[in-house]
Amino acid sequence: MTTPLPDGIWISNENPERREGAAALFLDRDGVIVREVDYLFRPEDVVLERGAAKLIGWAHAQGLAVAAVTNQAGIARGRFGWPDFEAVEAEIARQLRAAGVALDLIVACAYHPDHTDGYDDAHARWRKPGPAMIDLAAEKLGIDRSRSFMIGDKASDVEAARNAGLAGAIHVLTGHGPEERGAAMTLARPGFEVIAAADPEEALALLSARRFGAAR
């Protein structure tokens, strides 16, 4: 029996195709898959980030799962609603399909500590840097976290990857990357690597050179 998701958490597919034991690439949405737009809620504002579609296609060619995990505090703030979010997701999916690729799974969290009633530790686990969105995607897809990476433009993306037990993260300078680079790079630890890249295109080059996802 599937445990119902809490209010404020959205998943694109409750039963995605599983990739048992495969590595996965987790992507932040805004600033990684699409160009950063403060509180993106209009489909006409969706523009794929440079190299994002190519990165997803490469990952699938290597047998990797690809999941997006995204904080969407604009919902908690009342800037837009889930129907607006879903319309944006439909446009992102359309543009990715036009490039010949698709995401395996998307998980979104609408919580915000200042705008969610009764915000507590349970909410904080879902909102990045909490690990619960990655935990959920990993469980649904059946992936091996110890060989999986996150790509994000914020330190909270990197910290979420570390909290979820991933092998490492790549921090990019797209989106909020320039102001977040310093904090992101301090999150490296033994067994958790943080790599600097300019954008998703350079992230792909770095991952490809390292044979990311290869079985140990």
Side-chain angles (χ1 to χ4, degrees), residues 185-200:
M185 299 308 294
T186 67
L187 294 168
R189 298 288 187 275
F192 181 79
E193 188 172 13
V194 182
I195 302 168
D199 54 28

Side-chain angles (χ1 to χ4, degrees), residues 147-215:
R147 295 189 291 118
S148 298
F149 261 71
M150 174 86 191
I151 300 178
D153 65 321
K154 291 186 176 181
S156 59
D157 298 317
V158 175
E159 190 173 359
R162 194 180 75 183
N163 289 339
L166 302 190
I170 296 180
H171 182 263
V172 291
L173 291 175
T174 45
H176 294 283
E179 60 264 35
E180 295 273 332
R181 173 56 60 85
M185 299 308 294
T186 67
L187 294 168
R189 298 288 187 275
F192 181 79
E193 188 172 13
V194 182
I195 302 168
D199 54 28
E201 189 167 63
E202 186 177 1
L204 166 55
L206 292 169
L207 291 172
S208 180
R210 297 160 59 87
R211 296 185 68 245
F212 161 65

Side-chain angles (χ1 to χ4, degrees), residues 27-48:
L27 305 177
D28 180 41
R29 192 191 79 172
D30 302 292
V32 177
I33 298 173
V34 298
R35 299 280 175 86
E36 174 63 42
V37 175
D38 284 339
Y39 303 112
L40 175 60
F41 67 94
R42 300 192 309 171
E44 57 267 34
D45 292 334
V46 172
V47 178
L48 295 181

Side-chain angles (χ1 to χ4, degrees), residues 16-24 59-66 102 104 140-144 147:
E17 180 182 354
R18 290 177 66 83
R19 297 173 179 263
E20 299 291 350
H60 281 152
Q62 308 306 307
L64 310 177
V66 185
D104 291 293
K140 293 287 186 181
L141 294 168
I143 61 92
D144 179 357
R147 295 189 291 118

Side-chain angles (χ1 to χ4, degrees), residues 4 16 29 53 56 63 65 69 105-107 109 117 120 128 177 184 188-189:
R29 192 191 79 172
I56 294 166
V69 287
L105 194 65
I106 305 153
V107 184
C109 171
D117 290 342
D120 59 16
K128 291 181 292 184
R189 298 288 187 275

